[in-house]
């Protein structure tokens, strides 16, 4: 029961943060709200026995990526979004409706179809407690998933180079 | 531990909020934040399924998604800075140069 | 053994990296040193080959699996047997001397470093060609020497004629290479392998003697050889190749590369043995070429062109020998020819060098006084090529003439062709000698005063080659049993022809006859150009048509132009208008116009706003979700 309560608490935090991201007019507040959402998600990951992802979520996502966003927001220093007449009303209305439609479709799917049909994997909770979740993930990362891991490294490198090239001031 | 459905519905809520944000907001940075929100909604579903199926694959995929998100944020923000330098604005509704 | 290949390659790399910075002297030394080391390596390989019993003289070096694709297994491997060993010794030995000579000849040329790189690259390619243990490695070398030849003919590419000559050589060679390539396909199709060690021993069993397949393969192979070795009708490129620097003419277009065709025919002699018809073609083409080129050489006035046609003619001798099955004689002549033709070219280079580019023999004369060393070495070369006892050419040419007469595939006609060729050879060579070095000097006085002998670095190779042109023939002494070291060394490689019993009396008689023919040629030349000045010109006036026919090289170039080049050009222009403009352009432009029209119609859909695209994407995702739900449910 305590687990259930914990879940609802975190879910509330997460959804509140997400709503704030979308609703608050100042981008700076949006970024900070997203950090709150991420912290809530990290807690949820912990409840799902995914310690590794939880830690990465906090350090990399909330820590590094969000800091990058903050930097840019501060750099550009836009302030709040001016209230002005809604542009492209048709698109925005249609987008909202379709988005809610996606939500309805997903919920409908969850409600009507059996969810756990896949074969069970090799790492039940007891085994994870034994070998350690982080160790198990790390081992998989450098064995079975070593190729995507390498590809990821290349991707990040290209990302860095690309960001530097794009943001560099061109001498005219 | 809460049942799987709860996690999935939460992930759908996050995803939908992200979608709506992308469509409604005009500030490019906020649009990016909303995309992160969508990614995290999907991540939650991955981890939840992985956990309930006694598998670590979900976590690994989330790890890769994070890497992609990081790269995307780096490039995307660089583009935003560039656009701001050119047009003194980060309003995506101003960006209609795709049409001649 | 792989060191033989390694040294020239290293020379190329060193000169590529440092040559341009360190300058011409450095590049020349590196290139020459590399060739010297390669020669030492060849000599060492030759000695280790001699250490083996005669029947098993073959060393193989396997480097790596080159192309392991399904049925096609090609190894990068090399074979050193008596045949390839002979070739490597000639290539590296003569090559070394010519590199040395080039250091003097190319001194002061702006492109000297580039020149040495090409020259080393050529040596590397040529060695790959002769050492390759399968058809494909041979072919790689074959193409690479063609490339180097092209680069070196067009070396002075700022001159239009040089660039044109390079292009011509390349295109004409391509015709032969194409035949060669088809032959390789056929061989692979029949044998499933390209290794010499597989194809040649199994040739008889797989193809069958006298079969159509054997004849076809051999004719195609010979087609390749005709291109590279400048045999009729693909001989037209070689005289034009004289646009390159003279040492290049000596090395590539006289001593080594052009003999690749002879080498290839000798290498595949096991195949040729299966097809009497193909061998007949080889011998006939050889005889025809030697007569034709010899007669052209009589009427040319450019010193290098005379030598070029002489080369074509001598190559004809080699093919004549190969065609009658006397491969040993062919290779023997190849070797001695490499010595004396390199000598003659280098001598002519020395003459041209000291006359600052003058090549017309009508404007020379009496150079003996100014260029004593060049003069006597050139004369030695001329005696050797004319076949005067005891110079090198006497023995090899005699071996060929003897084989042409007595071989079961030979006959009186071939012998007559060879003998007539020998007469012409002696005549045009001594015409050259007399007009260049004897008689009155027809140069302007101030140029005569500046006449000077070439530097030592150029004379040394001349002297060395002159010695070789004298003694080079002695390794194949006829008549005395066991004295024919050359033949004894090579013969295990070639199929037995039968009927090789020597009739001493006949052979001596034939020697005397050919000697007499050569002396007659020299005598006639003497009569024409020394004693009775102007007699030659008088004969030219008496038969003006014949003279013009020879002067214009039987109009072969013109015939090509008229019957091949122009029709192809016209057809191309027609195809350009008909296909290019009418069909392809119309299709391409039509497709473009169609897309433009369609795009114009659809562009209304595009708002240009990022948001619209995001919404559209979302709608697509939603549609997929609905579809999956409906189908899955």
């Amino acid at each position: 029961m305590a687990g259930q309560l914990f879940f609802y608490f975190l879910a509330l935090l997460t959804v509140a943060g997400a709503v704030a991201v979308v609703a608050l007019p100042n981008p700076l507040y949006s970024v900070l709200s997203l950090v709150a959402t991420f912290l809530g998600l990290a807690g949820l990951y912990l409840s799902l026995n995914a310690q590794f992802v939880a830690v990465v979520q906090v350090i990399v996502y909330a820590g590094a990526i969000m800091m990058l966003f903050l930097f840019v927001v501060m750099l550009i220093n836009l302030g709040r979004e001016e209230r002005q007449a809604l542009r492209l009303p048709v698109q925005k209305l249609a987008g909202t409706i379709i988005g809610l439609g996606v939500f309805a479709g997903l919920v409908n799917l969850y409600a009507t179809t059996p969810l756990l049909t896949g074969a069970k994997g090799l790492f039940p909770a007891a085994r994870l407690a034994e070998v350690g979740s982080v160790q198990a993930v790390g081992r998989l990362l450098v064995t079975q998933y070593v190729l995507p891991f390498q590809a990821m490294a290349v991707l990040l490198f290209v990302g860095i180079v690309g960001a530097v090239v794009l943001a560099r001031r061109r001498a005219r | 531990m809460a049942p799987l459905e709860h996690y999935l519905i939460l992930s759908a809520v996050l995803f939908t909020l992200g979608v709506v944000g992308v469509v409604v907001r005009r500030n490019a940075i906020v649009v990016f934040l909303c995309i992160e929100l969508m990614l995290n909604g999907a991540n939650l579903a991955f981890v939840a399924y992985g956990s309930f199926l006694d598998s670590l694959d979900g976590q690994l995929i989330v790890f890769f998604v994070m890497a992609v998100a990081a790269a995307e944020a780096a490039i995307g923000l660089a583009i935003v800075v560039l656009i701001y330098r050119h047009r003194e604005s980060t309003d995506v509704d101003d960006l209609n140069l795709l049409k001649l | 053994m792989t060191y033989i290949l390694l040294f020239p390659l290293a020379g190329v790399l060193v000169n590529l990296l440092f040559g341009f910075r360190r300058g011409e002297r450095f590049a020349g030394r590196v290139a020459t040193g590399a060739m010297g080391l390669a020669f030492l390596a060849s000599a060492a390989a030759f000695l280790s080959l001699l250490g083996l019993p005669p029947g098993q003289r073959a060393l193989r070096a396997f480097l790596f699996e080159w192309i392991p694709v399904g049925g096609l297994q090609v190894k990068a491997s090399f074979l050193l047997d008596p045949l390839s060993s002979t070739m490597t010794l000639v290539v590296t030995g003569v090559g070394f001397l010519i590199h040395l000579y080039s250091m003097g000849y190319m001194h002061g040329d702006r492109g000297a470093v580039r020149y040495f790189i090409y020259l080393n690259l050529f040596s590397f390619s040529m060695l790959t060609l002769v050492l390759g243990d399968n058809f494909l490695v041979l072919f790689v070398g074959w193409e690479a020497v063609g490339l180097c030849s092209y680069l070196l003919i067009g070396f002075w590419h700022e001159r239009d004629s040089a660039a044109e000559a390079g292009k011509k050589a390349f295109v004409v060679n391509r015709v032969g290479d194409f035949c060669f390539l088809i032959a390789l396909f056929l061989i692979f199709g029949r044998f499933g392998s390209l290794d010499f060690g597989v194809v040649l021993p199994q040739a008889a069993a797989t193809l069958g003697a006298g079969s159509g397949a054997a004849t076809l393969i051999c004719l195609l192979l010979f087609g390749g050889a005709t291109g590279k070795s400048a045999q009729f009708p693909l001989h037209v490129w070689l005289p034009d190749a004289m646009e390159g620097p003279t040492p290049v003419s000596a090395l590539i277009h006289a001593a080594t590369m052009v003999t690749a065709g002879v080498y290839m025919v000798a290498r595949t002699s096991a195949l040729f043995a299966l097809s009497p018809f193909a061998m007949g073609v080889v011998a006939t083409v050889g005889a025809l070429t030697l007569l034709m080129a010899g007669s052209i050489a009589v009427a040319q006035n450019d010193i290098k062109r005379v030598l070029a046609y002489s080369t074509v003619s001598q190559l004809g001798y080699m093919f004549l020998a190969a065609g009658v099955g006397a491969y040993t004689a062919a290779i023997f002549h190849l070797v001695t020819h490499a010595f004396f033709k390199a000598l003659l070219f280098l001598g002519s280079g020395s003459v041209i060098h000291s006359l600052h580019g003058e090549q017309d023999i009508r404007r020379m004369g009496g150079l003996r006084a100014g260029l004593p060393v060049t003069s006597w070495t050139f004369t030695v070369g001329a005696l050797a090529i004319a076949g005067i006892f005891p110079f090198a050419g006497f023995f090899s040419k005699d071996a060929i003439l003897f084989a042409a007469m007595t071989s079961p595939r030979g006959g009186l006609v071939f012998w007559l062709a060879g003998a007539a060729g020998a007469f012409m050879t002696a005549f045009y060579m001594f015409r050259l000698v007399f007009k260049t070095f004897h008689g009155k000097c027809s140069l302007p006085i101030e140029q005569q005063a500046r006449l000077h002998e070439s530097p030592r670095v150029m004379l040394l190779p001349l002297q060395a080659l002159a010695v070789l042109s004298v003694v080079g023939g002695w390794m194949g002494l006829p008549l005395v049993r066991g004295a024919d070291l050359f033949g004894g060394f090579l013969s295990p490689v070639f199929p037995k022809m039968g009927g090789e019993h020597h009739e001493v009396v006949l052979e001596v008689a034939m020697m005397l006859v050919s000697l007499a023919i050569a002396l007659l040629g020299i005598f006639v030349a003497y009569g024409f150009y020394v004693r009775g000045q102007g007699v030659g010109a008088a004969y030219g006036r008496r038969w003006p048509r014949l003279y013009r026919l020879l002067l214009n090289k039987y109009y072969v170039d013109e015939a090509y132009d008229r019957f091949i080049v122009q029709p192809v050009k016209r057809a191309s222009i027609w195809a350009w208008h008909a296909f290019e403009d009418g069909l392809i352009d119309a299709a391409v432009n039509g497709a473009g116009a169609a897309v433009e029209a369609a795009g114009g119609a659809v562009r209304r859909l595009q708002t240009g706003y990022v948001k619209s695209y995001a919404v559209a994407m979302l709608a697509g995702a939603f549609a997929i979700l609905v579809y999956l739900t409906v189908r899955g449910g």
Side-chain angles (χ1 to χ4, degrees):
Chain A
M1 203 56 222
Q4 287 274 47
L5 276 179
F6 186 55
F7 172 81
Y8 286 124
F9 168 68
L10 288 173
L12 196 66
L13 174 66
T14 312
V15 173
V19 170
V21 170
V22 180
L24 288 176
N26 190 333
L28 195 61
Y29 294 152
S30 291
V31 174
L32 291 175
S33 318
L34 193 61
V35 172
T37 306
F38 284 169
L39 291 177
L41 276 170
L44 288 170
Y45 291 153
L46 275 181
S47 79
L48 286 167
N49 245 335
Q51 289 89 341
F52 177 67
V53 174
V55 171
V56 173
Q57 176 87 6
V58 172
I59 296 177
V60 175
Y61 238 139
I65 301 182
M66 283 306 116
M67 284 313 109
L68 191 60
F69 274 96
L70 269 184
F71 264 126
V72 174
V73 171
M74 303 274 198
L75 182 73
I76 294 178
N77 195 13
L78 268 186
R80 53 186 17 253
E81 217 166 83
E82 308 91 55
R83 297 219 171 267
Q84 53 172 246
L86 205 61
R87 284 211 265 165
L88 308 167
V90 184
Q91 274 96 333
K92 284 182 181 170
L93 193 65
T96 313
I97 291 171
I98 294 174
L100 293 174
V102 170
F103 179 69
L106 283 173
V107 172
N108 174 44
L109 201 62
Y110 299 151
T112 52
T113 48
L115 292 176
L116 278 172
T117 51
K120 287 277 182 181
L122 297 168
F123 294 94
R127 174 104 196 284
L128 277 184
E130 187 185 322
V131 297
S133 165
V134 177
Q135 283 92 325
V137 170
R139 182 152 296 146
L140 273 180
L141 210 50
V142 293
T143 52
Q144 192 188 337
Y145 284 89
V146 68
L147 202 63
F149 191 51
Q150 300 282 339
M152 199 179 82
V154 176
L155 175 76
L156 285 173
F157 175 67
V158 172
I160 292 166
V161 174
V164 170
V165 169
L166 280 175
R168 188 186 51 187
R169 271 188 198 283
R170 283 176 182 75
R172 274 179 216 267
Chain B
M1 200 156 57
L4 178 60
E5 287 84 349
H6 287 42
Y7 285 100
L8 293 179
I9 287 173
L10 179 57
S11 91
V13 169
L14 288 177
F15 186 83
T16 310
L17 280 170
V19 166
V20 173
V22 167
V23 178
V24 173
R25 296 298 299 257
R26 300 206 311 267
N27 188 320
I29 296 175
V30 180
V31 170
F32 262 118
L33 291 177
C34 293
I35 290 173
E36 299 293 333
L37 213 51
M38 289 163 73
L39 286 173
N40 274 281
N43 281 356
L44 182 61
F46 269 122
V47 175
Y49 253 114
S51 173
F52 279 88
L53 284 174
D54 294 342
S55 162
L56 292 179
D57 294 350
Q59 291 192 43
L60 284 156
I61 290 171
V62 168
F63 185 59
F64 293 131
V65 170
M66 283 180 187
V68 173
E72 177 220 319
I75 298 284
L77 288 173
I79 293 175
V80 168
V81 171
L82 209 61
I83 289 173
Y84 184 73
R85 255 188 231 150
H86 273 279
R87 316 198 63 170
E88 294 288 318
S89 156
T90 55
D91 192 332
V92 285
D93 288 358
D94 287 343
L95 305 178
N96 56 355
L97 280 180
L98 274 178
K99 175 151 180 161
L100 280 170
Chain C
M1 167 181 152
T2 40
Y3 288 109
I4 308 175
L5 282 165
L6 215 58
F7 286 123
L9 186 61
V12 173
L13 294 178
V14 169
N15 271 341
L16 264 182
L17 289 174
F18 307 111
F20 291 105
R21 215 172 309 152
R22 303 288 297 273
E24 167 207 323
R25 285 173 71 84
F26 172 82
R29 281 184 190 157
V30 166
T32 312
M35 283 311 285
L37 288 171
F39 176 66
L40 291 181
S42 320
F46 171 71
L47 288 179
S48 66
L49 209 58
L50 275 187
L52 298 169
Q56 308 157 9
R57 283 178 181 156
L59 298 172
R60 277 169 210 272
F62 168 74
L63 293 190
F64 54 89
E65 287 285 344
W66 180 27
I67 310 180
V69 186
L72 179 63
Q73 300 286 336
V74 182
K75 296 189 277 278
S77 66
F78 297 102
L79 164 71
L80 189 82
D81 66 352
L83 179 57
S84 50
S85 178
T86 311
M87 292 299 288
T88 51
L89 282 173
V90 171
V91 173
T92 55
V94 176
F96 169 68
L97 291 173
I98 290 171
H99 275 71
L100 192 63
Y101 178 91
S102 300
M103 288 172 69
Y105 191 85
M106 296 306 286
H107 180 68
D109 193 289
R110 272 188 299 122
V113 176
R114 188 163 56 96
Y115 170 85
F116 280 112
I117 291 173
Y118 289 163
L119 214 56
N120 259 358
L121 185 63
F122 165 78
S123 307
F124 170 71
S125 318
M126 186 71 201
L127 290 168
T128 311
L129 194 165
V130 296
L131 284 172
D133 190 20
N134 56 51
F135 281 101
L136 215 56
V137 175
L138 189 154
F139 188 68
V140 168
W142 185 271
E143 289 295 326
V145 291
L147 170 70
C148 296
S149 156
Y150 164 74
L151 290 172
L152 284 165
I153 295 172
F155 180 73
W156 287 310
H157 49 77
E158 57 273 19
R159 260 200 338 234
D160 271 353
S161 57
E164 290 288 331
K167 219 167 14 179
K168 184 172 176 183
F170 206 68
V171 171
V172 174
N173 263 303
R174 197 94 334 233
V175 178
D177 294 349
F178 189 61
C179 293
F180 191 11
L181 203 55
I182 295 175
L184 293 196
F185 293 155
L186 287 177
I187 289 171
F188 181 71
R190 278 311 185 102
F191 294 89
S193 167
L194 289 170
D195 283 357
F196 291 145
V198 175
V199 174
L200 299 180
Q202 294 176 4
T206 310
L207 291 175
S211 67
T215 304
L216 186 61
I217 289 176
C218 290
L219 285 180
L220 285 169
L221 284 176
F222 179 59
T226 358
K228 187 99 345 190
S229 292
Q231 293 299 290
F232 180 80
L234 298 180
H235 66 279
V236 288
W237 65 271
L238 188 59
D240 287 11
M242 298 303 131
E243 288 290 344
T246 306
V248 169
S249 308
L251 179 62
I252 301 186
H253 306 117
T256 54
M257 185 190 84
V258 290
T259 60
V262 183
Y263 165 79
M264 192 256 279
V265 171
R267 173 59 77 198
T268 55
S269 52
L271 292 171
F272 279 90
L274 300 176
S275 173
F277 176 71
M279 291 197 56
V281 171
V282 173
T284 311
V285 170
L288 207 63
T289 309
L290 90 88
L291 283 176
M292 188 173 159
S295 57
I296 294 174
V298 168
Q300 298 300 311
N301 287 319
D302 182 319
I303 184 168
K304 284 181 74 181
R305 270 179 191 268
V306 174
L307 291 175
Y309 278 106
S310 156
T311 304
V312 175
S313 162
Q314 299 301 314
L315 289 165
Y317 269 112
M318 296 175 208
F319 278 105
L320 173 61
V324 298
Y327 297 107
T328 330
I331 299 295
F332 188 27
H333 195 56
L334 188 163
V335 173
T336 56
H337 175 253
F339 294 153
F340 55 65
K341 190 50 70 63
L343 168 61
L344 289 169
F345 264 115
L346 295 186
S348 76
S350 175
V351 169
I352 297 166
H353 191 68
S354 48
L355 295 183
H356 305 284
E358 182 59 58
Q359 302 198 0
D360 194 332
I361 51 172
R362 283 171 301 191
R363 307 190 52 193
M364 301 175 186
L367 298 178
R368 192 172 32 161
L371 310 169
V373 180
T374 308
S375 169
W376 74 255
T377 49
F378 196 88
T379 310
V380 167
L383 285 168
I385 193 173
I388 304 298
F389 182 84
F391 294 92
F394 171 75
F395 298 102
S396 55
K397 198 174 281 183
D398 176 65
I400 291 176
L401 289 178
F402 183 71
M405 184 73 173
T406 59
S407 155
R409 300 230 164 100
L412 190 62
V413 182
F414 288 137
W415 183 84
L416 281 177
F423 171 75
M424 286 189 286
T425 308
F427 177 75
Y428 63 69
M429 277 322 299
F430 277 86
R431 170 173 175 261
L432 208 55
V433 171
F434 293 143
K435 281 202 139 186
T436 311
F437 296 106
H438 298 256
K440 271 210 309 289
C441 187
S442 42
L443 285 169
I445 294 296
E446 70 272 19
Q447 217 169 326
Q448 282 187 35
R450 278 189 294 146
L451 202 60
H452 61 92
E453 185 63 287
S454 302
R456 267 186 62 87
V457 71
M458 284 167 70
L459 296 181
L460 209 66
L462 285 178
Q463 288 156 336
L465 283 168
V467 172
L468 282 172
S469 299
V470 179
V471 304
W474 298 353
M475 57 193 172
L477 287 180
L479 295 181
V480 190
R481 182 162 295 281
D484 186 2
L485 296 173
F486 192 81
F489 179 61
L490 271 184
S491 53
V493 183
F494 301 120
K496 287 276 167 288
M497 289 306 296
E500 286 188 7
H501 55 97
H502 286 241
E503 294 165 57
V504 176
V505 181
L506 179 66
E507 196 167 354
V508 171
M510 284 179 60
M511 276 180 186
L512 290 177
V513 170
S514 60
L515 192 58
I517 290 171
L519 287 172
L520 183 69
I522 297 175
F523 180 72
V524 172
Y526 181 74
F528 272 28
Y529 298 105
V530 181
R531 227 181 29 198
Q533 300 268 328
V535 177
Y539 275 100
R541 275 193 298 279
R542 217 156 112 199
W543 291 295
R545 269 214 201 136
L546 179 66
Y547 180 68
R548 270 210 307 279
L549 187 66
L550 294 181
L551 189 66
N552 289 309
K553 311 140 206 164
Y554 292 102
Y555 297 103
V556 174
D557 275 327
E558 285 75 6
Y560 275 136
D561 189 60
R562 179 94 177 270
F563 295 112
I564 297 178
V565 177
Q566 293 304 334
V568 167
K569 243 188 204 164
R570 273 198 296 277
S572 310
I573 290 172
W574 178 80
W576 163 30
H577 288 305
F579 294 121
E580 197 60 33
D581 289 352
L583 226 67
I584 299 173
D585 278 10
V588 171
N589 290 339
V595 169
E596 214 175 299
V602 191
R603 77 183 283 190
R604 259 167 267 273
L605 279 181
Q606 303 286 334
T607 60
Y609 290 103
V610 181
K611 281 275 151 69
S612 315
Y613 303 121
V615 172
M617 236 167 85
L618 204 63
F622 181 60
I624 291 173
L625 182 72
V626 170
Y627 169 73
L628 286 177
T629 315
V630 172
R631 203 196 59 167

